[in-house]
Amino acid sequence: MLKTHLDPSFLIRNAQVALTMNDAEEELQGVDIRLENGVIAEIGTGLETGRSELVLADQAVVTPGLVNTHHHLYQTLTRAVPGGQDALLFGWLKTLYPIWSRFGPEEMRVSAMVGLAELALSGCTLSSDHLYLYPNGARLEDTIDGAKEVGLRFHPTRGAMSIGESGGGLPPDLLVQNEPAILEDCIRVIDAFHDPSEGSMCRVGVAPCSPFSVTRDLMRDAALLARDKGVMMHTHLAENDEDIAYSQAQFGCRPGEYAEELGWVGDDVWHAHCVKLDSREINLFSNTSTGVAHCPCSNCRLGSGIAPVRQMRDAGVKVGLGVDGSASNDQGNLMDEARQAMLLQRVAHGADKMSAREALKIATRGGAEVLGRSDLGQLAVGKRADIAIWDISTIESAGSWDPAALVLAGPRRVRDLFVEGRQIVRDGQVTTVDMGALVAHQNRLALGLMG
């Protein structure tokens, strides 16, 4: 179990606006919020300071921490690789696989720390990660150790690839693993690191990379293992037109049908992208409470298309946001993802089809629901103390008539961030790691990969 030490209690004083994301969608003005023992202990006006450390918020908007439902943290070492800058998904992968094959444990740990620190600065308090390659002795705990150092709540998934080029797959053979070894390691990391308790800082999932990089047997066996262990399941699905064509050619059905056949639907499953889901698949996901990680910036960067988020949400599908890997996004900013999600749905359906508040709700409570975290995603007494404070006295908000419309006019970098009641960002700076040394270390590793 991963638990960070708890700071003394904090009292967030006189928030100009607190966006609760509760069932009533309350927006509270001039409110105080007390954080104690990792949870929200009180919400009210004129609360006594007591022993709490005071955090002034009279020129700030307070929100629940943002939740990232899809990432490949190791890719922070391969941003803006020239050969992949203008490629479609499959060509992009073929460019990057040889580079990733040179990674090892240190690359995995440091890239995870950089990616999570970057997310923290964008207001993220919980991030998933999809690690599906393990070259040169790398293990899932390399990223778990990195997350523990940064202090973010973490939901790593033990990904896998088992079909290499010699078997008709995309990845080089040296990046795939045999399936018994994959399943055995899934059991090892779940037993060692998964904490199902309320307030958990680390939950582990099972996540074969995609239908075109593992066998039907592994997809089915992974689902059986995950349900036996009581953990969630994650994979890529219906990302672009190539993905649909592959599924129809290889499996004789659409991706949603393939997922349903193998047991990959349910409230313990979430799929990344889902750009090309049709109406039947959307209804399937709604009826089975299957979640979706929407990655709008990555989808734009790779030219994959506009995911049918409006249709999904109208049908009752759980939708959260993901930054995706930094090799297909190049940044890890969840507030940017919320804005992009809103803009794309407006482009596709009209300016009245997604509000700034709905986009922010997807980024907070939506992501928490996708990851099965009913203890997060709201400002409410008893919920975990994962809170973002946004300074609206800066130039980005100057002239705004609606300070709560952060996605339209507001900062992209958080002022203060609390995870489980611990202050991870203070006055715009990460408190838990030496960022200068970390970035320098990352750059040295990147230079080594270029060589």
Side-chain angles (χ1 to χ4, degrees):
M1 296 182 184
L2 294 183
K3 297 285 185 182
T4 60
H5 71 275
L6 299 178
D7 282 344
S9 67
F10 290 89
L11 182 67
I12 299 170
R13 171 74 78 197
N14 194 31
Q16 183 167 336
V17 183
L19 302 178
T20 66
M21 303 300 169
N22 63 17
D23 292 340
E25 300 187 350
E26 291 178 293
E27 299 183 5
L28 308 176
Q29 297 182 355
V31 73
D32 304 335
I33 304 171
R34 191 186 309 279
L35 317 181
E36 284 185 347
N37 299 319
V39 301
I40 298 172
E42 287 184 274
I43 299 177
T45 56
L47 298 182
E48 294 293 330
T49 303
R51 66 180 183 87
S52 301
E53 181 178 338
L54 204 59
V55 180
L56 299 179
D58 54 306
Q59 296 188 82
V61 174
V62 180
T63 70
L66 278 56
V67 177
N68 179 38
T69 61
H70 186 64
H71 207 331
H72 307 294
L73 285 165
Y74 73 91
Q75 292 180 12
T76 58
L77 265 169
T78 50
R79 302 189 208 243
V81 172
Q85 287 183 16
D86 304 314
L88 298 176
L89 175 63
F90 284 14
W92 170 85
L93 284 169
K94 284 186 170 292
T95 298
L96 289 162
Y97 279 143
I99 301 172
W100 295 336
S101 70
R102 301 198 291 273
F103 280 35
E106 187 67 357
E107 284 80 5
M108 295 300 186
R109 185 185 68 85
V110 173
S111 59
M113 291 180 66
V114 169
L116 291 169
E118 182 182 20
L119 282 169
L121 291 170
S122 79
C124 177
T125 53
L126 164 63
S127 181
S128 66
D129 184 42
H130 190 185
L131 181 58
Y132 54 80
L133 45 82
Y134 297 86
N136 306 310
R139 300 186 299 173
L140 189 68
E141 50 263 48
D142 300 325
T143 62
I144 294 172
D145 289 345
K148 187 175 181 180
E149 288 192 57
V150 176
L152 253 63
R153 210 178 291 276
F154 199 36
H155 197 137
T157 60
R158 206 301 181 182
M161 298 190 294
S162 63
I163 304 176
E165 287 178 322
S166 63
L170 280 176
D173 288 347
L174 58 85
L175 281 179
V176 303
Q177 298 175 293
N178 73 71
E179 297 187 352
I182 290 167
L183 295 171
E184 182 178 342
D185 198 55
C186 286
I187 294 169
R188 180 187 69 83
V189 295
I190 292 167
D191 289 348
F193 301 106
H194 177 66
D195 177 6
S197 67
E198 183 171 319
S200 167
M201 290 296 291
C202 183
R203 292 185 181 175
V204 176
V206 173
C209 181
S210 64
F212 54 80
S213 60
V214 299
T215 67
R216 182 187 299 264
D217 286 343
L218 183 61
M219 289 292 289
R220 183 180 290 109
D221 290 346
L224 292 171
L225 186 154
R227 290 188 169 123
D228 179 64
K229 289 290 188 178
V231 302
M232 294 191 71
M233 302 146 55
H234 183 52
T235 192
H236 298 90
L237 200 78
E239 184 169 354
N240 65 5
D241 289 330
E242 291 174 284
D243 202 341
I244 301 298
Y246 183 93
S247 180
Q248 290 174 328
Q250 297 297 317
F251 312 132
C253 61
R254 289 185 55 85
E257 297 173 281
Y258 186 68
E260 182 180 23
E261 176 191 343
L262 297 177
W264 276 78
V265 293
D267 62 3
D268 55 354
V269 180
W270 84 103
H271 294 287
H273 302 298
C274 298
V275 174
K276 299 296 181 178
L277 290 190
D278 65 16
S279 59
R280 181 194 174 281
E281 291 164 322
I282 290 172
N283 288 332
L284 169 67
F285 280 24
S286 175
N287 292 336
T288 57
S289 297
T290 303
V292 170
H294 174 44
C295 306
C297 290
S298 176
N299 295 159
C300 289
R301 161 80 151 74
L302 291 173
S304 299
I306 301 174
V309 173
R310 181 72 277 151
Q311 295 94 317
M312 290 187 213
R313 283 184 56 80
D314 288 348
V317 176
K318 296 182 296 185
V319 179
L321 292 181
V323 300
D324 204 6
S326 292
S328 68
N329 184 332
D330 308 298
Q331 298 183 43
N333 188 307
L334 268 176
M335 191 59 84
D336 281 349
E337 298 297 333
R339 178 177 172 85
Q340 190 76 352
M342 177 192 71
L343 294 178
L344 285 176
Q345 295 311 301
R346 291 180 174 214
V347 166
H349 305 294
D352 60 345
K353 296 305 181 184
M354 182 169 287
S355 70
R357 283 166 170 78
E358 183 180 9
L360 193 57
K361 189 170 185 178
I362 294 170
T364 53
R365 186 166 177 178
E369 290 173 349
V370 165
L371 295 182
R373 295 303 299 254
S374 60
D375 54 344
L376 311 174
Q378 302 179 53
L379 300 181
V381 172
K383 300 296 183 183
R384 309 314 297 184
D386 289 14
I387 293 180
I389 301 178
W390 307 88
D391 184 358
I392 54 171
S393 68
T394 59
I395 193 167
E396 298 95 333
S397 300
S400 174
W401 288 33
D402 182 3
L406 290 171
V407 173
L408 289 174
R412 292 293 174 267
R413 187 163 170 151
V414 78
R415 190 194 78 184
D416 301 291
L417 189 74
F418 297 87
V419 181
E420 191 69 5
R422 181 187 183 195
Q423 192 163 20
I424 302 302
V425 177
R426 183 190 295 263
D427 294 327
Q429 302 296 319
V430 177
T431 65
T432 51
V433 294
D434 181 337
M435 288 297 294
L438 179 61
V439 170
H441 192 174
Q442 169 102 329
N443 287 336
R444 288 192 297 272
L445 292 173
L447 283 172
L449 292 169
M450 292 175 196

